[in-house]
Structures are given as structure tokens and as C-alpha cells.
């Protein structure tokens, strides 16, 4: 049976400022999806990390189904009404358009969805990140599906031995490419190491995979809010769906990719590098310097139009060391204050306020000749780069 998993997320207001959600807003989103979703979706789960509300749905309408996208859009709209009444900070922040026009892409909310051929047991994990960007998934997805030191199944399970296909998007130039691991591993890394531009969108099995040939097995949101809005409107905090087991990385191999709190960009004002901390849902508030960037994981099993679960995957002392290391890295890097590489390079900063500050100095720059002597003409900062 045609089956689709769709995950849509948005920040529609925070308490007190980008820290977490308000329970009344989550309740309004839940109520809408439950009441209006009948006949459109089969099952759903609503959750959040930091200030982002997350809707996971299963249905038979395929990807890009306007009725499914509209359901999520309207649910976020009804949540936004409550957020406005409560005076929450940034109420409706990620709803960038006034009215729904057929597809939620390009309207603000992040979306990850895939059509699947359900297996006898169909386990998958939804990863949700706050205070970072889609490229934050590059490192762990690569490790799950291409690095045998993370995923020994790539070596010892004959179903995975051939490797996986990676669909990578250039989100600046709106282009995509499919590369195959392990043969093109170095090409893959040469792109995805530039994580602000090249992002892994999907992972597929190879066409000769014995159990699931040519199937989509992972998908990540790649919506870049600043490109949609033309200026900073909040970080494009990403989410991803990863199918696991029987010919795919095991649950524990997928989770293992988050045991090293690697550095991602985002955090305060969308403008700082910081460690990605894996957390259980009870610890998903963003209190320190609006972070640090965090990831939560929800483990589901799908069967007969029902979602069983979820399991709060990082709510486990086995991730305490990663959390401790993330706190140590946060202490270390915070000491750099507004200096790079803690602060992002100018072109990657999400806030547009620094150029505005610098504009004030524009008339005070003087042009230099090739020997470093002052030329007479004054120039603007915009001419100096
Ligand atoms: P969000 O993208 O989570 O709203 O965070 C924005 C921000 O500026 C944090 O400091
Ligand atoms: P405001 O200037 O709207 O307070 O934004 C700053 C911010 O949200 C950083 O977290
Ligand atoms: Mg916010
Ligand atoms: Mg957020």
C-alpha cells in the first residue's frame, strides 16, 4: 500500500524568548490535527524541541499532497492565534506567507517527507534539532550511512555492503546531485563539508539492495528561512526521518552518530558555532545563550496505518558523556565572545544587523594605495572587502 511519512515543523511563538513552546499552543496544534486530520491522515504524533513544534504524520496521499500540507499549515495558524493572545515572542515567526497556496514548501515551515514500501516491521527515528541549520545533519547522516567506524553493518551485513546513494542539494544555487558511497565517498565529503551550502536531502538504498531496492531511507528538511524571507527571520532549525534495521543501519548505529557533539552553526542569533548536544525531551529547553544547539530523537514503529511509540531515544545515561563534552565545548568556545570562529563569518551570519552597525562607519574609511599610503578619497565599507 502506498504509504508516506511526512514531518512538518515550525516555530510559531516562544516562551520567554526562543527557549521553549507554550503548552496551550501545542494543545491548539494537537486539537486541530486530531479533529481536522480525519480522512486525510492515518495517524500522527506531535512533539517539540526548543521553540519548534513538530508534526509527524503517516498517510496514503504521497509526498507533496496539498491536503496534508494544508492540515499542518492550518494547525500552525490556529496555534499562532493562541500564541498571539498569550503575547508569546515571535508569534507566527515561521509562517512567512499570509495564505496557503497548495504546497507548504517555501512558506516557512520545514518539511521532510518520503514515500515508503512498508516492511513487515517498519522502524524509523525522527530527529529534531533546534538552534541550527539543515547542514547540521550532514555529519551524522554521512556517519550512519557511509562510515564503517560508526556503522559496522556496512562491513558485516551483506545487505548494506554495497553502500548507499546520497542526494545532495546546493541550497544556494538550487541544484542537486546524486553520488554513491563508497565509490564516490571523497566527492561526497568534498561537498557536504561545506554544510551551509551543500546539504544531504535524501539517502537511498542501491538498486540491487536485496530487501529494499532503490528506496528512500532518509530525508532531511532543507528549507532555508533566510532565503525565503530575504532577511533573518529565525534559524531554519532542521528535522530528519531515518529508517532503520533489516538491511539499513541499526537503531544503535544511527544513534551512535550523535555521541560526538560536533560543531554546528546557529545558536545565539543564528550567528555562532556551538556543539550539538543530544537530549531527552525533558531537557529540550534552550536556556544557555539560546542553546546550545540540541537534537532529540523519537523512535517509532509503523504498522497497519498506526504509529507505535515514540521512544525518547536520547533519554539515556549512555549519552551523558556526549552531553558533558558538549557543555565543556560550550564553556570553551563561549569565552571567545563575539570573535570568529565562535561567531560565524560575516557572510554566514543570519542576522542582518551587523552590516547595519558597520554602515555607521562607512564614511570614516580611507582608501589605501598599493604601498599602504592613504589616498585622498573616502570610501564606504561596502566598497572594501
Ligand atoms: P529560533 O530559530 O529557534 O527561533 O532561534 C532564533 C534565535 O535568534 C536564537 O537566538
Ligand atoms: P530581538 O532583537 O527581536 O530581541 O531578537 C534578538 C533575538 O531574538 C536573539 O535571540
Ligand atoms: Mg524562535
Ligand atoms: Mg527554533
Amino acid at each position: 500500500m502506498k504509504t508516506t511519512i511526512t514531518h512538518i515543523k515550525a516555530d510559531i511563538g516562544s516562551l520567554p524568548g526562543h527557549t521553549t513552546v507554550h503548552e496551550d499552543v501545542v494543545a491548539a496544534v494537537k486539537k486541530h490535527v486530531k479533529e481536522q486530520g480525519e480522512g486525510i491522515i492515518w495517524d500522527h504524533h506531535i512533539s517539540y524541541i526548543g521553540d519548534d513544534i513538530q508534526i509527524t504524520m503517516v498517510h496514503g496521499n504521497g509526498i507533496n499532497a496539498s491536503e496534508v500540507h494544508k492540515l499542518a499549515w492550518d494547525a500552525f495558524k490556529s496555534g499562532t492565534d493562541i500564541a498571539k493572545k498569550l503575547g508569546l515572542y515571535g508569534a507566527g515567526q515561521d509562517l512567512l506567507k499570509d495564505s496557503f497556496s497548495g504546497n507548504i514548501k517555501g512558506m516557512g515551515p520545514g518539511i521532510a517527507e518520503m514515500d515508503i514500501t512498508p516492511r513487515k516491521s517498519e522502524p524509523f527515528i525522527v530527529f529534531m534539532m533546534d538552534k541550527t541549520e539543515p547542514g547540521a545533519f550532514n555529519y551524522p547522516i554521512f556517519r550512519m550511512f557511509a562510515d564503517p567506524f560508526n556503522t559496522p553493518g556496512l562491513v558485516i551485513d551483506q545487505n548494506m555492503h554495497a553502500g548507499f546513494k546520497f542526494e545532495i542539494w546546493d541550497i544556494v544555487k538550487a541544484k542537486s546531485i546524486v553520488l554513491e558511497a563508497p565509490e564516490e565517498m571523497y566527492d561526497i565529503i568534498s561537498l557536504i563539508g561545506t554544510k551551509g551550502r551543500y546539504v544531504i536531502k535524501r539517502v537511498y538504498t542501491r538498486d540491487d539492495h536485496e530487501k529494499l531496492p532503490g528506496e528512500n531511507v532518509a530525508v532531511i528538511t532543507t528549507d532555508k528561512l533566510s532565503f525565503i524571507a530575504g532577511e533573518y527571520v529565525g534559524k531554519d532549525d532542521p528535522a530528519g526521518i531515518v529508517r532503520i534495521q533489516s538491511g539499513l543501519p541499526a537503531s544503535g548505529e544511527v544513534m551512535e552518530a550523535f555521541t560526538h557533539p560536533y560543531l554546528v552553526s546557529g545558536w545565539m542569533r543564528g550567528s555562532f558555532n556551538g556543539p550539538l548536544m543530544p537530549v531527552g525531551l525533558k531537557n529540550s529547553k534552550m536556556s544557555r545563550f539560546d542553546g546550545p544547539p540540541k537534537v532529540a530523537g523519537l523512535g517509532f514503529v509503523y504498522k497497519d496505518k498506526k504509529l507505535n511509540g515514540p521512544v525518547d531515544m536520547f533519554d539515556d545515561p549512555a549519552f551523558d558523556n556526549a552531553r558533558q563534552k558538549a557543555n565543556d565545548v560550550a564553556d570553551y568556545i563561549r569565552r571567545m565572545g563575539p570573535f570568529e570562529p565562535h561567531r560565524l563569518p560575516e557572510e554566514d551570519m543570519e542576522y542582518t544587523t551587523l552590516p547595519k552597525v558597520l554602515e555607521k562607519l562607512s564614511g570614516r574609511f580611507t582608501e589605501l594605495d598599493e604601498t599602504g599610503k592613504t589616498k585622498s578619497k573616502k570610501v564606504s565599507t561596502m566598497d572594501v572587502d
Side-chain angles (χ1 to χ4, degrees), residues 189-234:
I189 297 172
S190 72
L191 294 178
I192 66 172
T194 308
K195 60 186 176 29
R197 173 164 182 181
Y198 299 102
V199 298
I200 299 173
K201 176 65 187 174
R202 293 178 190 276
V203 180
Y204 295 88
T205 55
R206 307 288 286 252
D207 296 340
D208 56 358
H209 191 282
E210 263 180 43
K211 297 187 169 175
L212 273 179
E215 275 263 323
N216 192 183
V217 290
V219 59
I220 290 99
T221 61
T222 44
D223 312 81
K224 199 96 174 112
L225 286 185
S226 51
F227 296 159
I228 299 167
E231 64 171 330
Y232 184 84
V233 287

Side-chain angles (χ1 to χ4, degrees), residues 5-299:
I5 310 171
T6 298
H7 185 89
I8 304 183
K9 45 97 17 203
D11 176 350
I12 52 171
S14 54
L15 183 71
H18 304 297
T19 313
T20 189
V21 294
H22 192 292
E23 59 185 352
D24 293 358
V25 177
V26 180
V29 172
K30 276 188 179 160
K31 184 168 183 292
H32 186 96
V33 176
K34 193 168 189 321
E35 289 174 0
Q36 307 301 318
E38 223 168 296
I40 301 173
I41 56 172
W42 297 331
D43 202 358
H44 69 276
H45 181 79
I46 289 167
S47 178
Y48 61 86
I49 180 164
D51 55 8
D52 295 307
I53 298 183
Q54 316 266 339
I55 310 175
T56 309
M57 298 172 277
V58 281
H59 56 93
N61 304 292
I63 64 169
N64 290 319
S66 69
E67 61 272 44
V68 177
H69 289 198
K70 185 170 187 315
L71 175 68
W73 177 265
D74 289 343
F76 288 135
K77 276 278 187 204
S78 69
T80 298
D81 292 342
I82 307 293
K84 283 184 176 156
K85 281 198 190 110
L86 293 165
L88 295 189
Y89 186 74
Q93 173 182 289
D94 290 354
L95 306 186
L96 304 179
K97 304 277 153 82
D98 293 332
S99 55
F100 184 77
S101 59
N103 190 308
I104 208 162
K105 277 187 201 152
M107 299 188 70
I111 172 153
E113 55 182 352
M114 61 180 152
D115 292 330
I116 64 167
T117 312
R119 297 164 288 169
K120 203 159 60 199
S121 170
E122 184 54 61
F124 65 92
I125 301 176
V126 172
F127 291 102
M128 315 175 296
M129 297 181 184
D130 191 28
K131 305 299 180 268
T132 184
E133 61 181 3
F137 269 100
N138 285 2
Y139 172 88
I141 293 284
F142 177 84
R143 295 201 62 202
M144 291 170 201
F145 288 97
D147 178 2
F149 283 82
N150 181 85
T151 302
L154 292 164
V155 176
I156 66 181
D157 177 348
Q158 61 172 6
N159 288 303
M160 291 167 65
H161 203 78
F164 291 90
K165 292 192 279 191
F166 290 74
E167 180 183 321
I168 298 163
W169 284 14
D170 173 347
I171 57 173
V172 175
K173 290 270 156 86
K175 290 194 281 194
S176 78
I177 185 170
V178 176
L179 294 170
E180 309 204 352
E183 305 91 300
E184 298 177 297
M185 192 135 131
Y186 297 159
D187 294 322
I188 293 172
I189 297 172
S190 72
L191 294 178
I192 66 172
T194 308
K195 60 186 176 29
R197 173 164 182 181
Y198 299 102
V199 298
I200 299 173
K201 176 65 187 174
R202 293 178 190 276
V203 180
Y204 295 88
T205 55
R206 307 288 286 252
D207 296 340
D208 56 358
H209 191 282
E210 263 180 43
K211 297 187 169 175
L212 273 179
E215 275 263 323
N216 192 183
V217 290
V219 59
I220 290 99
T221 61
T222 44
D223 312 81
K224 199 96 174 112
L225 286 185
S226 51
F227 296 159
I228 299 167
E231 64 171 330
Y232 184 84
V233 287
K235 217 35 199 170
D236 37 341
D237 308 315
I241 309 168
V242 179
R243 296 167 73 189
I244 55 173
Q245 305 291 154
S246 41
L248 304 179
S251 181
E253 288 171 331
V254 164
M255 297 299 292
E256 186 67 14
F258 295 96
T259 50
H260 175 61
Y262 54 97
L263 292 172
V264 297
S265 40
W267 209 350
M268 171 58 66
R269 296 170 185 268
S271 302
F272 289 82
N273 284 309
L276 186 74
M277 180 188 275
V279 291
L281 293 182
K282 66 176 187 294
N283 290 319
S284 73
K285 284 194 289 293
M286 302 287 154
S287 312
R288 181 178 183 187
F289 200 55
D290 287 358
K294 289 180 182 168
V295 56
L298 298 179

